[in-house]
């Protein structure tokens, strides 16, 4: 029977360069000869992507209740685990996921103020003990991240989604939430200083990955 694959997540606030670096992580692992499944949350499956659309739609005339937001995140996650993540890990593939439950603790916990004990109940219910093997947290001060996000949106003429429309104190709480999670599980987290140039950020990421790959093989 093949060895179980590894589960790697990327986390960080808006505008820290996460999407670019998810691709980079996948390429680094593929270069090591590993089978990689790249995915994201909320989303990753057809039903999960439909839930994502509900979650990100600003629809200001119909505000989404914070508990409904939390439950939708975990509904998408349950489908994602069953349909994609667990089967991939079982056949020995490495899963690289753009956000996972640390985002829920940071956004719904830190940002929205839901008690982390309530989130932990859903985490146990949906994940049944599964957690990432490695989490790369891209961290930078919220002002720098905001500038990057705004210039990206300007270039692409995109509209802000429901989360991006939040205010500075929300993003500060999200960042604090992530850093608190990293402090609680230092063996799982690698905190990457994302303020540097892309080259420097990626060399930090590569170093972490190669160390882990060597240890896990
Ligand atoms: P993305 O822009 O990184 O794809 O993520 C979509 C948004 O969803 C982002 O603003 C963060 C938010 N989110 C949560 O609030 N809680 C979660 O559990 C996850 C996975 C994402």
């Amino acid at each position: 029977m093949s060895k179980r694959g590894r589960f790697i997540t990327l986390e960080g606030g808006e505008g820290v360069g996460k999407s670019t670096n998810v691709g980079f992580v996948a390429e680094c692992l593929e270069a090591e000869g590993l089978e990689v499944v790249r995915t994201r949350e909320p989303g990753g499956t057809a039903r999960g992507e439909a839930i994502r659309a509900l979650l990100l739609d600003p629809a200001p005339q119909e505000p989404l209740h914070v508990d409904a937001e939390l439950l939708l995140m975990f509904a998408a996650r349950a489908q994602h685990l069953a349909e994609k993540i667990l089967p991939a890990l079982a056949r020995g593939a490495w899963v690289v996921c753009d956000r996972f439950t640390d985002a829920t603790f940071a956004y719904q916990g830190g940002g929205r103020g839901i008690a982390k004990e309530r989130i932990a109940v859903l985490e146990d219910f949906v994940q049944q003990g599964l957690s990432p093997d490695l989490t790369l947290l891209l961290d930078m001060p919220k002002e720098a991240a905001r500038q990057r996000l705004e210039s990206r949106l300007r270039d692409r003429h995109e509209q802000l989604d429901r989360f991006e429309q939040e205010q500075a104190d929300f993003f500060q709480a999200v960042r604090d939430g992530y850093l608190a999670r990293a402090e609680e599980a230092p063996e799982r987290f690698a905190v990457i200083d994302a303020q540097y140039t892309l080259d420097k950020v990626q060399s930090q990421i590569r170093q972490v990955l190669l160390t882990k790959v060597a240890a896990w093989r």
Side-chain angles (χ1 to χ4, degrees):
M1 209 174 77
S2 68
K3 216 162 93 179
R4 174 191 174 278
R6 296 285 173 172
F7 184 25
I8 299 178
T9 57
L10 263 92
E11 298 282 1
E14 316 293 320
V16 296
K18 205 170 34 61
S19 306
T20 313
N21 286 306
V22 169
F24 178 73
V25 169
E27 282 161 25
C28 284
L29 297 174
E30 279 161 0
E32 293 298 303
L34 297 161
E35 183 198 344
V36 176
V37 172
R38 183 183 154 173
T39 188
R40 70 170 179 182
E41 289 212 347
T45 65
R47 289 185 193 280
E49 291 292 328
I51 296 173
R52 178 188 176 90
L54 270 177
L55 280 161
L56 298 192
D57 182 355
Q61 72 285 3
E62 199 180 355
L64 186 59
H65 188 274
V66 288
D67 285 349
E69 179 180 291
L70 175 68
L71 291 164
L72 285 170
M73 290 293 175
F74 274 106
R77 187 161 297 139
Q79 186 69 28
H80 195 198
L81 281 164
E83 192 178 320
K84 196 165 185 180
I85 297 177
L86 294 176
L89 293 174
R91 68 167 191 270
W94 288 41
V95 175
V96 176
C97 192
D98 185 343
R99 297 193 189 282
F100 196 63
T101 305
D102 295 305
T104 315
F105 281 93
Y107 281 78
Q108 283 65 51
R112 303 281 191 230
I114 298 178
K116 65 181 183 186
E117 294 71 23
R118 292 180 71 210
I119 302 176
V121 170
L122 295 172
E123 181 184 32
D124 285 348
F125 179 80
V126 169
Q127 292 166 224
Q128 299 176 49
L130 179 91
S131 78
D133 297 295
L134 169 67
T135 298
L136 297 158
L137 172 58
L138 301 183
D139 178 61
M140 67 163 70
K142 68 173 194 317
E143 295 77 18
R146 190 75 205 166
Q147 269 178 10
R148 282 205 199 179
L149 176 68
E150 279 172 6
S151 75
R152 191 183 81 200
L153 294 170
R154 231 177 291 121
D155 293 348
R156 295 193 193 157
H157 309 289
E158 282 172 14
Q159 264 205 326
L160 294 175
D161 69 37
R162 212 168 53 81
F163 291 100
E164 291 163 344
Q165 287 181 1
E166 288 295 337
Q167 302 304 312
D169 54 349
F170 179 87
F171 295 112
Q172 186 61 53
V174 166
R175 185 185 185 206
D176 294 344
Y178 270 131
L179 292 172
R181 289 286 286 172
E183 249 177 51
E184 283 164 17
E187 66 299 333
R188 170 164 72 84
F189 271 87
V191 181
I192 306 287
D193 189 338
Q195 277 190 95
Y196 293 123
T197 58
L198 187 60
D199 263 7
K200 277 197 180 167
V201 170
Q202 294 190 335
S203 83
Q204 293 177 74
I205 293 176
R206 185 186 288 110
Q207 207 177 352
V208 172
L209 286 176
L210 294 183
T211 307
K212 290 289 185 186
V213 169
W216 286 336
R217 261 186 167 157

